[in-house]
Amino acid sequence: MAQQPSGKPRLLAGGNPQIPKGDGDEPVQAYIDAMPGWKRDVGRHLDNLIVRTLPDVRKAVRWNSPFYGTEGNGWFLDFHCFTRHVKVAWHNGTSLDPPPPGESKHERVRYLDIHEDEELDDELIASWIRQAAELPGEDLF
């Protein structure tokens, strides 16, 4: 893993941590711990909400993003740091009711952009997590 002199992972464009691929909670927590500033709290909040909503969730880091999925059903969500927001990608977002607000060039994907000091609707996000976990996810790796 590329690290800064401080021993922390290098931050890529937009402040996204460069974390080696890995399966399980450990690489996801390394990613979250390396998220800069207020984004780290967003990452922790999302991770905790996902685990509370879906205790058996699978986790992995690929392409410098944490992924969440269900055994045998693929990956339904990942998130990524950008300069001014954290982008949550719902891989089957067009099938969620209501769909997340952000459109994508990809047919089934929808986004939720989270900005600093933005209140999250945990009930709505938990609903999306439950719905997404029941749908066929992506078999990305």
Side-chain angles (χ1 to χ4, degrees):
M1 164 174 32
Q3 295 191 347
Q4 298 173 346
S6 66
K8 293 183 178 183
R10 185 167 72 96
L11 297 180
L12 302 170
N16 197 56
Q18 184 176 25
I19 300 292
K21 72 178 183 175
D23 295 319
D25 188 52
E26 188 175 332
V28 169
Q29 295 309 315
Y31 176 94
I32 292 168
D33 289 345
M35 292 172 77
W38 63 269
K39 296 171 191 169
R40 184 176 312 115
D41 290 337
V42 170
R44 283 191 186 121
H45 187 85
L46 287 171
D47 184 71
N48 288 334
L49 182 58
I50 293 164
V51 170
R52 263 195 332 266
T53 305
L54 198 63
D56 293 331
V57 71
R58 292 175 55 212
K59 299 181 185 184
V61 170
R62 298 292 192 279
W63 306 289
N64 300 307
S65 293
F67 281 75
Y68 297 82
T70 57
E71 188 67 42
N73 214 17
W75 304 97
F76 62 83
L77 175 152
D78 72 271
F79 57 86
H80 196 89
C81 289
F82 287 86
T83 303
R84 293 184 181 86
H85 64 281
V86 175
K87 182 176 286 295
V88 181
W90 299 89
H91 300 188
N92 48 21
T94 58
S95 298
L96 303 179
D97 183 26
E103 295 184 6
S104 172
K105 294 182 270 185
H106 302 281
E107 183 179 334
R108 295 175 48 214
V109 174
R110 296 288 289 200
Y111 296 113
L112 174 65
D113 292 346
I114 302 170
H115 299 88
E116 187 173 12
D117 297 326
E118 187 170 344
E119 285 287 323
L120 297 181
D121 185 340
D122 284 357
E123 188 175 313
L124 178 59
I125 294 171
S127 170
W128 287 336
I129 293 165
R130 285 189 294 275
Q131 291 177 60
E134 295 296 320
L135 297 167
E138 297 292 329
D139 186 19
L140 299 170
F141 44 89

